[in-house]
Amino acid sequence: MTAVTGPNGQLAARFAAAKADGRAALVAYLTGYDPTRQASLDRVLAACEAGVDVLELGVPFSDPTADGPTIQAAMVRALASGASVAGVIALAGEIRRRIDVPVVLFGYANPLLRFGPTLAATAAAADVAGLLVVDLPPEHAGELRGAASEHGLDWVGLVAPTTTRPRRIAVLANTTGFVYAVSLTGVTGAALDVDDTRLQQNLGELRAASGLPVAVGFGVRTPADVKALARHADGVVVGSALIEAGERGPAALAELVAAMRAATRR
């Protein structure tokens, strides 16, 4: 297989399309294999058909320190159903064959690094758009990030409210596709104040500094949250609320996604 130089462009195209449509992109996080492979596929397809622009497909891990109880429980269910890195990548490939929504593998360093040096090539073969590794600081990410770039995968960086300016510069220097702006100090699913002027200011500064689309996530639970944040970011990420809706079935998940998609319009 011949290596591809540079990102594959799936994410840039999707954010550009949303911008041209006068709205922020809706980025959805769902855990692969939660609660089973087939149920996970059914939920993902329902969500994507209802209006998801970018899918963050969670790679289950036994110690998800950045995540709150909803995603932690989803990962426990997924691991109990036999989830693995290889299995989630294969699931991503099936999703891509079924629907034209870019897929970002969202995970922790431990399982991804344990998979070995073929991770990026395997993900690229499944038509994955990019990687987002929650707990891998830029100074330790070179090997995995370099392999991702060689195989045309975007490397999505995270910037938190506590990120120092030097660290932010380091993260942005190696980010492609989009920047994930963590909205609050805490874990996924925590309470969020969408009217926080400091958050709005941080998003504005990050958009100016990065030159890339900025998607904001953590604590986004309702269409009203999405509407408020869509004015200040290029994308809005929703995770825990979608997982909870998915537990009620694909139809309930699709209904919530459709409402959130409508709320992305500026």
Side-chain angles (χ1 to χ4, degrees):
M1 177 176 167
T2 303
V4 180
T5 301
N8 55 38
Q10 292 182 33
L11 295 175
R14 193 51 56 102
F15 277 93
K19 181 178 180 180
D21 193 34
R23 59 184 182 81
L26 179 61
V27 183
Y29 170 92
L30 291 167
T31 304
Y33 275 68
D34 172 37
T36 65
R37 188 188 191 282
Q38 185 59 51
S40 173
L41 177 61
D42 292 343
R43 293 177 187 181
V44 164
L45 293 177
C48 290
E49 289 167 357
V52 167
D53 292 294
V54 175
L55 172 68
E56 293 177 348
L57 187 63
V59 179
F61 179 45
S62 57
D63 189 23
T65 53
D67 290 302
T70 296
I71 294 179
Q72 286 185 12
M75 290 192 176
V76 168
R77 293 190 296 265
L79 290 169
S81 72
S84 65
V85 175
V88 173
I89 293 175
L91 177 63
E94 184 168 354
I95 292 166
R96 287 292 296 153
R97 289 190 295 272
R98 301 275 291 272
I99 197 160
D100 184 23
V101 171
V103 177
V104 175
L105 288 185
F106 186 113
Y108 290 80
N110 183 289
L112 297 180
L113 292 172
R114 286 181 61 190
F115 184 88
T118 62
L119 174 71
T122 306
D127 202 21
V128 166
L131 301 179
L132 196 165
V133 187
V134 181
D135 58 344
L136 194 60
E139 60 268 24
H140 298 301
E143 182 176 351
L144 190 53
R145 186 176 63 235
S149 178
E150 284 181 16
H151 291 280
L153 301 177
D154 277 309
W155 183 266
V156 180
L158 289 98
V159 176
T162 55
T163 302
T164 63
R165 186 174 182 275
R167 175 55 61 89
R168 185 180 73 178
I169 292 172
V171 170
L172 296 182
N174 294 289
T175 295
T176 62
F178 70 94
V179 182
Y180 191 126
V182 178
S183 61
L184 48 81
T185 303
V187 295
T188 56
L192 170 66
D193 179 4
V194 294
D195 296 318
D196 185 348
T197 56
R198 290 172 299 177
L199 170 59
Q200 297 170 7
Q201 181 179 349
N202 287 342
L203 290 172
E205 292 175 355
L206 191 54
R207 293 172 82 187
S210 69
L212 291 169
V214 173
V216 58
F218 277 49
V220 183
R221 301 195 59 84
T222 67
D225 291 341
V226 172
K227 185 175 181 62
L229 292 172
R231 297 194 297 269
H232 305 284
D234 305 287
V236 183
V237 187
V238 188
S240 296
L242 298 185
I243 290 174
E244 292 168 2
E247 292 175 25
R248 301 193 296 274
L253 174 58
E255 182 179 1
L256 180 57
V257 167
M260 288 182 163
R261 166 71 176 244
T264 60
R265 191 162 298 280
R266 297 189 178 106

